[in-house]
Amino acid sequence: MEHDPRVADVDLSSQYTPADVEGRLYERWVSAGLFTADPDRNSARPHFSIVIPPPNVTGSLHMGHALDHSIQDALIRRRRMQGHEVLWLPGTDHAGIATQNVVERELAKDGLSRHDLGREAFVDRVWQWKEKSGGAILGQMRRLGDSVDWSRERFTMDAGLSHAVVTIFKRLYDEGLIYRAERIINWCPRCLTALSDIEVEHENREGELVSIRYGSGDDSIVVATTRAETMLGDTAVAVHPGDERYRHMVGREVELPLTGRRIPVVADEHVDPAFGTGAVKVTPAHDPNDFEIGRRHSLAALTVIDEHGVITAHGPFLGLDRFEARPAVVAALREEGRVVKEVRPYEHAVGHCQRCATVVEPRVSLQWFVRVAPLAKAAGDAVRDGRVRIQPPEMAARYFAWVDNMHDWCISRQLWWGHRIPVWYGPDGEVRCVGPGESAPEGWTQDTDVLDTWFSSALWPFSTLGWPEETADLRRFYPTSVLVTGYDILFFWVARMMMFGLYAMKDEAADRTVPFREIALHGMVRDQFGKKMSKSAGNVIDPLDWIDEYGADATRFTLLRGASPGGDVPVAVEWAQGSRNFCNKLWNAARFALMNGATVEGPLPADRSVADRWILSRLRQVTAEVDRHLDGYDFAKACEALYHFAWDEFCDWYVELAKVPLAQGGEPAAATRRVLGEVLDVVLRLLHPMTPFVTEELWTALHGFDRSDKSDGSESIVVAPWPAGAELEAAGQVVDTAAAAEISSLQRLVTEVRRFRSDQGLKPGQRVTTALDFAGSPLAAHEEAVRMLLRLTEPTGEFVPTASLVVEDVTVRLDTAGVIDVKAERARLDKDLAAARKEVDQARRKLGNEAFMAKAPEAVIAKNRDRLAQAEADITRLEAQLASLPAG
């Protein structure tokens, strides 16, 4: 085989080792400034921007992050290659509760609490922790290959973002869109703060449903509850106004057991008459639905559980923990004969604090709220009128269901770490919101609460770009191009960014008010069986372990290969291993190409072989297919198309077919080297957004660029042009149906003969003397390739075939005498034939059994029919193989 004289320059190792490549390449990219955006560079150039959903400063990279970042990086890298001015802005969230808990646990090791330090000293301690230990996830993002602009890294409590928080709070407050009131909220008795809905995780737990009789005689009514301790705070019983069973009770009062109080029976549309007894207890201070009923009927809200989860109602239960009080209250009710029924166990959803897993307590509390009605309407209108598009479109219905029915948002948290609410109180009850550049009067005190973390992260798309100042970044990169996030926070974070973006930028042109043009939603990462990953299930996979074991490219490709718009992404170790094997396959193909002089220099040859025409034609089709899928955020289909083209068509077929002209030398070899280089170049560029490291290493080697540590990184695939349909067509790469048909015929011939060889008991590497009769077939031109691919030796002298077959009008006669152990092969086939006949007998007996046919499910019957058909086909095949064996 003739080799290119440049072979000595090919210094790719014999196998791809990600750890030897990834860190080196990433630092080269960063130091060369390849990820840095410039708002003033070529204003005519289209821009593309994404602000990263800020991970918690306390967090570490999990599979959800890895998926989210892999999608964003693929989008960013492709747009960069397409010539856009690209900004991918990184940063972290201060994560109020999570961070405060981390530092409090550190203090507890020394026997201290935050109260021992005081507020100012505690906040200083949190900043110290943040600088020392926070942000580990940023280093992990580097390991994954995130091509973010590190020069623009932001933190939700840095000076600029804090200025934006106070600015928008002041504006909302002055317009009456922020207010303070007593409302029902989620409360964590451990963290001692209100929680947002997203900070509450609901899990099914086994409890007890107790039916209790209120009142007596004709004036009695039965209610059921899983939280008997809250009855101490009941202020009514509610029934549906159309429920005839209780019509006579509406307006009357019944005695509330254990308390001596009498409470009214009210009629309310919220009550489901078909559930339980059709009557519900109403505890406005400790249930969100009851709170609304209480507001509609002007009921008192009696708080009977304090912020620590302790009973405050006077009587025998005073001072008991809520979970101690529950059985005690039931026992007391049972003693009075009030318990009508007990259902145990009774499974129901229970809310838990996301940070500490404490059961959340709904309770009335004085808090700060955002009046969301006008903001939510604007957020809904922006999607309805097409200014913002949700991908996939069917997810829009879930978005509307949320924004059209949004409750006022509780934004205050009883924490010390976070943006402190900029409201001050005077000595005579005066209240003033102090905006940027303003000062509170001497002697006034600031509100002790901080803002919900989601308040500052709702500003993220524009506060990170310099708002409220009119910065160059804000002018060039806002609105951002796309928001990539999981559908699970569509309601919470996405809707809030929409509300605040539209509000903050309301003086801009209509198309500049939205925070992003598109919302690309993906699902959750699950295990290979579709189950949610959890520590309790033992199915959690750490992406860093995968990066260590298989490399960042394999980790990314595995996730992206399962990422269809809005769909959940199943993953398994076996799939990561497959992705690693894919990278290795690509590496080996590139090494072969380079060792044989593959080149990207000069025009493509005008005189091309059928194989050249076919692979270039397929390259054109795959490029268009990948573009189409990536434009639709369907990474799964894009990766699948590239995987099968690169592995099946390029590596397994074209590279093998290329060996014939490469061995011939001369013009055929030169043409093949150029086509090899062209296909490899385009495939690497198409794969780069998904697998950046291996493609960089191979592409720079293919182009002969400096790959040493001294390279400035400017000759990088990161900034190489993205393959486009027009570019390929200009290079003469159009769909060639004739070449495709001829190569398909060749593939069928080779595949069938391989299968026949296997059936004959021949090992893949064994050479077999074979006569080929093409009888005028165009495949005659490929005889050398056919013999090479099938390990077929031309006959010399006397030739006596022992087996033959006809495929694609080509007669193939093989002499297997002496190549296989006929006796052993006959024994193997006889054994397989006996097993197939037994399978036929069993299947026929079942299908002939009337009792079985009458009782068995249709699916089981169909499975047995399939087994019978397969076994009969096996018998036919095995008998033919036995008949074709030589005698002896």
Side-chain angles (χ1 to χ4, degrees):
M1 182 179 294
E2 183 180 81
H3 292 284
D4 188 272
R6 296 181 305 162
V7 167
D9 296 329
V10 178
D11 61 350
L12 292 175
S13 60
S14 60
Q15 62 181 13
Y16 178 52
T17 305
D20 295 342
V21 170
E22 294 172 352
R24 168 173 55 84
L25 292 183
Y26 193 86
E27 290 309 314
R28 182 193 299 169
W29 291 333
V30 173
S31 63
L34 300 185
F35 304 157
T36 304
D38 184 350
D40 300 321
R41 179 167 47 199
N42 191 355
S43 59
R45 188 181 186 182
H47 80 270
F48 186 84
S49 56
I50 296 177
V51 289
I52 205 163
N56 287 353
V57 70
T58 59
S60 61
L61 195 74
H62 58 62
M63 273 299 184
H65 288 132
L67 169 64
D68 202 57
H69 291 207
S70 295
I71 291 173
Q72 290 176 70
D73 197 34
L75 293 171
I76 285 289
R77 287 179 181 271
R78 176 172 176 248
R79 292 300 184 194
R80 189 182 286 120
M81 295 173 76
Q82 288 177 324
H84 291 62
E85 187 62 39
V86 168
L87 169 62
W88 188 17
L89 192 148
T92 49
D93 192 292
H94 66 277
I97 294 177
T99 307
Q100 180 159 315
N101 282 349
V102 167
V103 178
E104 286 194 271
R105 284 195 294 269
E106 291 293 316
L107 289 174
K109 293 177 183 177
D110 298 326
L112 298 173
S113 73
R114 60 185 164 116
H115 300 285
D116 294 320
L117 272 66
R119 183 167 192 144
E120 186 175 341
F122 176 77
V123 170
D124 285 343
R125 182 69 68 91
V126 180
W127 277 109
Q128 292 170 23
W129 175 89
K130 187 263 180 186
E131 294 305 317
K132 180 181 178 182
S133 305
I137 194 170
L138 298 175
Q140 294 161 0
M141 287 162 55
R142 289 172 175 262
R143 292 202 60 197
L144 190 65
D146 286 7
S147 61
V148 297
D149 184 346
W150 290 110
S151 70
R152 286 174 166 83
E153 181 188 334
R154 304 305 299 268
F155 179 56
T156 51
M157 281 186 63
D158 66 29
L161 271 65
S162 296
H163 176 70
V165 166
V166 176
T167 299
I168 202 164
F169 187 100
K170 172 70 172 173
R171 292 184 187 180
L172 289 164
Y173 180 89
D174 288 348
E175 291 187 26
L177 294 174
I178 284 182
Y179 66 93
R180 196 183 191 206
E182 283 199 337
R183 295 285 186 271
I184 193 94
I185 47 89
N186 301 305
W187 182 265
C188 177
R190 154 62 182 80
C191 298
L192 295 179
T193 183
L195 303 175
S196 66
D197 291 336
I198 200 169
E199 292 166 323
V200 178
E201 294 183 343
H202 292 272
E203 298 178 7
N204 284 339
R205 292 289 180 88
E206 288 188 354
E208 179 182 23
L209 183 67
V210 183
S211 297
I212 309 165
R213 184 178 301 280
Y214 288 12
S216 59
D218 292 338
D219 286 339
S220 69
I221 195 166
V222 176
V223 299
T225 181
T226 58
R227 304 183 66 216
E229 72 281 5
T230 63
M231 66 153 293
L232 301 172
D234 285 1
T235 56
V237 172
V239 297
H240 192 275
D243 195 333
E244 294 294 335
R245 294 172 295 175
Y246 302 115
R247 185 178 295 276
H248 69 288
M249 293 290 293
V250 175
R252 295 188 185 184
E253 291 186 340
V254 294
E255 182 183 346
L256 179 65
L258 306 181
T259 67
R261 289 191 288 113
R262 294 186 66 79
I263 58 176
V265 178
V266 300
D268 195 278
E269 294 281 351
H270 170 76
V271 180
D272 180 2
F275 180 75
T277 64
V280 298
K281 58 189 289 298
V282 181
T283 321
H286 295 285
D287 184 275
N289 294 322
D290 293 4
F291 181 80
E292 295 302 323
I293 293 175
R295 293 181 67 181
R296 288 193 288 271
H297 297 276
S298 302
L299 302 173
L302 301 181
T303 299
V304 295
I305 302 175
D306 71 8
E307 63 270 24
H308 298 282
V310 173
I311 301 297
T312 60
H314 290 291
F317 312 108
L318 179 65
L320 290 180
D321 176 83
R322 54 187 170 153
F323 298 121
E324 295 174 336
R326 184 172 299 169
V329 168
V330 173
L333 289 168
R334 194 183 296 115
E335 189 173 335
E336 287 192 5
R338 293 286 184 176
V339 176
V340 176
K341 184 180 180 182
E342 296 177 74
V343 178
R344 186 189 303 114
Y346 179 79
E347 191 173 90
H348 61 119
V350 179
H352 293 74
C353 175
Q354 186 185 57
R355 298 302 171 194
C356 68
T358 301
V359 173
V360 168
E361 185 63 45
R363 66 190 301 268
V364 168
S365 180
L366 182 62
Q367 302 286 345
W368 287 94
F369 293 86
V370 173
R371 200 181 309 278
V372 300
L375 305 175
K377 182 181 183 303
D381 290 345
V383 175
R384 286 189 170 94
D385 64 24
R387 281 177 289 156
V388 177
R389 295 177 298 278
I390 294 179
Q391 303 288 353
E394 55 267 23
M395 286 285 185
R398 300 175 66 176
Y399 174 80
F400 293 135
W402 178 255
V403 297
D404 294 346
N405 299 281
M406 193 181 293
H407 299 294
D408 284 359
W409 171 19
C410 176
I411 56 171
S412 47
R413 298 290 179 269
Q414 290 65 54
L415 303 171
W416 288 357
W417 172 246
H419 296 102
R420 197 161 173 183
I421 288 176
V423 172
W424 296 70
Y425 304 103
D428 298 317
E430 303 97 329
V431 180
R432 181 182 299 178
C433 180
V434 178
E438 300 176 351
S439 299
E442 192 72 30
W444 286 36
T445 57
Q446 188 175 1
D447 195 297
T448 57
D449 289 352
V450 300
L451 287 164
D452 177 12
T453 297
W454 293 99
F455 190 95
S456 52
S457 59
L459 313 183
W460 190 252
F462 52 94
S463 64
T464 52
L465 298 176
W467 185 92
E469 307 304 322
E470 182 64 18
T471 64
D473 279 356
L474 192 66
R475 285 192 299 270
R476 185 74 185 271
F477 297 114
Y478 188 90
T480 60
S481 304
V482 61
L483 172 76
V484 177
T485 191
Y487 62 66
D488 53 323
I489 57 172
L490 172 64
F491 314 134
F492 307 108
W493 186 46
V494 178
R496 286 166 179 168
M497 283 190 291
M498 287 283 284
M499 291 193 302
F500 277 9
L502 290 160
Y503 176 80
M505 306 293 287
K506 61 185 176 182
D507 295 330
E508 298 286 332
D511 66 339
R512 274 188 50 80
T513 57
V514 297
F516 22 74
R517 306 289 190 190
E518 288 190 291
I519 302 168
L521 298 171
H522 59 75
M524 299 172 64
V525 181
R526 298 181 179 272
D527 71 12
Q528 61 185 316
F529 306 108
K531 294 181 179 178
K532 182 179 178 179
M533 289 189 178
S534 67
K535 291 181 180 178
S536 59
N539 61 350
V540 173
I541 299 173
D542 186 338
L544 296 173
D545 290 342
W546 274 15
I547 293 173
D548 289 339
E549 183 73 19
Y550 310 115
D553 288 330
T555 301
R556 292 165 60 119
F557 198 74
T558 302
L559 291 164
L560 290 170
R561 200 174 173 192
S564 56
D568 288 338
V569 181
V571 296
V573 169
E574 293 83 355
W575 304 341
Q577 293 169 342
S579 295
R580 176 200 57 194
N581 294 344
F582 176 63
C583 292
N584 290 340
K585 185 85 169 180
L586 201 64
W587 183 270
N588 292 334
R591 285 190 77 247
F592 168 84
L594 290 171
M595 291 176 66
N596 286 279
T599 182
V600 291
E601 297 176 3
L604 285 167
D607 185 15
R608 304 172 192 168
S609 69
V610 173
D612 291 345
R613 286 162 47 203
W614 163 72
I615 198 66
L616 292 174
S617 173
R618 283 294 300 130
L619 183 66
R620 165 72 182 89
Q621 292 172 280
V622 168
T623 300
E625 185 179 354
V626 169
D627 261 335
R628 185 171 65 253
H629 292 319
L630 292 181
D631 284 342
Y633 302 101
D634 200 332
F635 296 91
K637 289 182 179 177
C639 289
E640 200 69 8
L642 283 169
Y643 177 91
H644 287 294
F645 175 76
W647 189 304
D648 300 343
E649 296 178 280
F650 179 59
C651 296
D652 283 357
W653 285 102
Y654 182 75
V655 167
E656 293 301 313
L657 293 172
K659 292 177 180 177
V660 173
L662 288 173
Q664 292 172 351
E667 286 302 317
T672 297
R673 291 187 186 109
R674 180 64 186 90
V675 173
L676 264 175
E678 182 71 16
V679 178
L680 188 58
D681 170 71
V682 174
V683 165
L684 292 173
R685 283 187 284 150
L686 289 173
L687 277 167
H688 175 71
M690 281 68 79
T691 55
F693 295 108
V694 68
T695 51
E696 169 80 326
E697 191 76 346
L698 294 177
W699 190 83
T700 50
L702 174 66
H703 284 261
F705 294 147
D706 182 5
R707 293 166 49 241
S708 71
D709 291 338
K710 296 179 181 179
S711 167
D712 65 3
S714 60
E715 295 177 326
S716 168
I717 196 173
V718 171
V719 289
W722 177 256
E727 171 193 332
L728 294 172
E729 287 174 343
Q733 298 181 32
V734 295
V735 176
D736 191 326
T737 53
E742 189 166 324
I743 294 297
S744 291
S745 181
L746 173 64
Q747 290 172 330
R748 286 191 294 271
L749 170 62
V750 171
T751 300
E752 285 302 313
V753 175
R754 279 176 175 165
R755 184 179 293 117
F756 183 79
R757 282 176 52 113
S758 176
D759 289 343
Q760 292 294 312
L762 296 169
K763 295 177 182 177
Q766 280 184 295
R767 293 200 165 273
V768 184
T769 302
T770 305
L772 298 173
D773 184 357
F774 289 94
S777 167
L779 295 182
H782 302 282
E783 179 173 358
E784 189 174 350
V786 171
R787 289 190 176 279
M788 178 193 68
L789 290 166
L790 291 169
R791 307 291 192 271
L792 305 180
T793 304
E794 281 196 81
T796 56
E798 184 179 356
F799 175 66
V800 181
T802 59
S804 67
L805 73 159
V806 179
V807 185
E808 296 293 305
D809 297 325
V810 178
T811 302
V812 183
R813 298 183 178 87
L814 303 94
D815 179 8
T816 60
V819 180
I820 62 172
D821 185 335
V822 176
K823 185 176 180 181
E825 183 63 13
R826 188 178 296 279
R828 183 184 71 81
L829 292 173
D830 282 337
K831 182 179 179 181
D832 291 347
L833 183 60
R837 285 169 175 163
K838 183 178 180 181
E839 181 75 10
V840 166
D841 289 341
Q842 290 176 343
R844 282 176 176 168
R845 278 199 301 272
K846 279 193 174 182
L847 295 171
N849 186 319
E850 292 183 6
F852 170 79
M853 295 296 286
K855 295 179 180 179
E858 185 57 40
V860 175
I861 294 173
K863 186 176 181 180
N864 275 274
R865 285 176 176 150
D866 291 342
R867 287 173 58 189
L868 175 60
Q870 181 61 54
E872 288 175 336
D874 288 343
I875 290 173
T876 301
R877 175 178 58 82
L878 292 165
E879 287 178 340
Q881 288 178 238
L882 281 164
S884 68
L885 286 175

